[in-house]
Amino acid sequence: MSGTSGISGTRPEAPLIDAEEDLAPAPPVAAARRRLRAHPVLVLLGIVLASLNMRAALAGVSPLVSEIGDHFHLAATASSLVTTIPLVFMGLGSIAAPRLARRWGTETVLCGALVLLCGGILLRIAPPVVALFVGCAVVGTSIALLNVLMPGLIKRDFPEKAAGMTALYSTAMILGATVSAASAVPLENALGGWQGSLASWALLAAVAAVVWIPQAVIARRGTHHGEAAATPAHTTEDGPKLTRSPLAWQVTLFMGSQSLIAYVMIAWMPTIFTDHGMSKATAGLIFAFSTLVQMAGSFVVPMLAGRMRRQRLLAVAVTTLMACGIVGLLVAPVAGAWVWAVLLGIGQGGALGLALTMMVLRSGDAHTAARLSGMAQTWGYLLAAAGPLVLGAVHQATHGWTVPIVLLLAVCAGLVMLGLGAGRDRRIGAEA
């Protein structure tokens, strides 16, 4: 799952960090948002529906990769682009999100992202193979906008309930991915093919977009044509230079490396099972279960991290869980599949929660944390995009999963080293 999260750290009330942290709304927009907060049920429903969409369109592809590849006569490397392309555009889209929010407002951009997501999902099933890849790019871009803007909207509209609302949003996001993965093969059987299974999730995106339309309209009411919804509260020169900070790069690469492992599992975990003789339906169910179990790690680990001065042991612990699950895929992929699913799920959820926590704990102020969040999401997703593609190419070249899985273990070793660095009790700008 990728987005940001509100975490209680060693400093009181550590903030949720997102692209809107440094934007001051125009007066008509601020007044409109106060009116929206008078109807919290509409806002709450919009948050839940948007969150359900944030991973469903990606997770539902994984159990169907073989069918998609066979339909278009794609080799393993080309098939991995179905997962790789969205990740690339999730990174690139993170750069655009703050600019779009400043110009049009968070509500309008979120509504537009859901409409874009609906179109991207449908475009993936169009006949030419180029439509599949363009649709993947559109899906990745729309999810990037949701990732970056949703947490800040939660903090802004529910300031006294940010922790509970963040838990709700995170749970809905994982639930959407779980249901999508578990239902992919049954929907394929019921709707006559993988196209129907993928297209079905456009309906959920469309419903969410409809709920966001009145919020987008209300939030822009009173603004003049061409007037920006917000203005920057800080200049880009404020704060430490992140690209010159080793600690900032350690946090960024920790985010990217754990995302790489997670998206390799999204792309190839069901295929690893089916290549060893497991049925498609069972492989999809186990993958969905692993996704569901991530909620445990993503809930517990940030709570522990916020109560520690150093998070190095947590980084080692969550990485070890993932490594044990990966070793299991190497030695007994089918016999111990449910066990490996639990280990990977808890480890992945914990690693994501820890990465998001460290964005706050390693920053000296909210402005630095906002910039670090953008840096980590952009470069993190671009790094993660290499995982499914490279491992798919290695699988195709070696005609097996042994070498790709060993490469994943090497990534785990690097993740431990990055966690030991990023988990130190240091702040960006005061690292000496």
Side-chain angles (χ1 to χ4, degrees), residues 26-95:
V29 175
R33 286 172 175 170
R34 286 193 291 271
R35 291 195 297 272
L36 277 172
R37 281 198 291 270
H39 305 282
V41 174
L42 179 64
V43 180
L44 179 62
L45 180 61
I47 289 171
V48 171
L49 287 172
S51 301
L52 287 170
N53 278 282
M54 288 173 68
R55 293 295 180 270
L58 298 178
V61 171
S62 186
L64 306 174
V65 166
S66 296
E67 285 73 12
I68 295 172
D70 291 343
H71 178 85
F72 290 109
H73 307 291
L74 301 175
T77 304
S79 295
S80 68
L81 292 174
V82 177
T83 304
T84 299
I85 291 174
L87 286 175
V88 171
F89 281 85
M90 283 168 70
L92 297 176
S94 298
I95 301 172

Side-chain angles (χ1 to χ4, degrees), residues 53 56-57 116-126 135 138-139 195 197-203 205:
N53 278 282
L116 197 65
L117 178 61
C118 182
I121 291 171
L122 294 176
L123 190 57
R124 291 188 305 188
I125 67 169
V138 174
V139 166
Q195 294 93 337
S197 181
L198 291 190
S200 63
W201 293 101
L203 178 61

Side-chain angles (χ1 to χ4, degrees), residues 98-418:
R99 295 175 176 84
L100 292 173
R102 183 171 64 210
R103 177 63 182 83
W104 300 104
T106 299
E107 295 84 358
T108 302
V109 176
L110 287 174
C111 182
L114 289 164
V115 173
L116 197 65
L117 178 61
C118 182
I121 291 171
L122 294 176
L123 190 57
R124 291 188 305 188
I125 67 169
V129 68
V130 67
L132 170 67
F133 296 136
V134 173
C136 288
V138 174
V139 166
T141 302
S142 57
I143 291 175
L145 300 178
L146 297 172
N147 275 347
V148 175
L149 298 179
M150 182 63 68
L153 180 134
I154 290 172
K155 184 184 86 170
R156 187 195 71 206
D157 289 348
F158 299 91
E160 304 302 323
K161 302 177 182 178
M165 289 299 301
T166 300
L168 176 64
Y169 133 78
S170 301
T171 301
M173 183 169 62
I174 294 174
L175 180 63
T178 301
V179 174
S180 176
S183 62
V185 175
L187 284 173
E188 178 191 23
N189 296 332
L191 299 175
W194 63 267
Q195 294 93 337
S197 181
L198 291 190
S200 63
W201 293 101
L203 178 61
L204 179 62
V207 171
V210 168
V211 171
W212 276 96
I213 287 174
Q215 299 186 59
V217 172
I218 293 172
R220 291 294 290 173
R221 188 176 295 165
T223 56
H224 301 294
H225 179 70
E227 181 182 356
T231 56
H234 294 84
T235 65
T236 55
E237 289 78 16
D238 291 344
K241 195 77 170 178
L242 295 186
T243 55
R244 297 178 183 175
S245 167
L247 182 55
W249 279 111
Q250 286 167 344
V251 173
T252 295
L253 294 176
F254 185 89
M255 176 70 178
S257 297
Q258 66 83 25
S259 295
L260 185 150
I261 295 172
Y263 282 99
V264 165
M265 290 297 108
I266 288 176
W268 295 118
M269 187 178 183
T271 304
I272 292 172
F273 289 143
T274 56
D275 283 356
H276 286 87
M278 186 181 290
S279 71
K280 284 195 309 177
T282 303
L285 187 61
I286 294 174
F287 171 65
F289 177 69
S290 182
T291 303
L292 181 65
V293 171
Q294 289 182 24
M295 285 191 290
S298 64
F299 180 76
V300 173
V301 170
M303 292 178 60
L304 295 175
R307 288 162 173 77
M308 296 176 169
R309 291 179 61 85
R310 301 173 183 84
Q311 293 76 36
R312 305 175 87 180
L313 287 178
L314 280 178
V316 173
V318 296
T319 305
T320 300
L321 287 173
M322 286 191 291
C324 289
I326 291 168
V327 168
L329 294 179
L330 183 64
V331 299
V334 175
W338 290 99
V339 177
W340 318 141
V342 171
L343 293 175
L344 282 164
I346 295 175
Q348 289 171 16
L352 175 59
L354 183 58
L356 298 175
T357 306
M358 289 193 294
M359 292 179 196
V360 174
L361 299 183
R362 299 290 83 89
S363 302
D365 55 71
H367 174 60
T368 300
R371 294 166 55 229
L372 178 60
S373 175
M375 174 179 171
Q377 288 198 63
T378 299
W379 292 106
Y381 283 126
L382 292 176
L383 173 60
L389 181 64
V390 171
L391 265 69
V394 173
H395 166 61
Q396 182 178 329
T398 61
H399 305 288
W401 288 108
T402 299
V403 177
I405 290 175
V406 169
L407 289 176
L408 271 187
L409 291 174
V411 175
C412 287
L415 192 61
V416 168
M417 301 305 296
L418 291 166

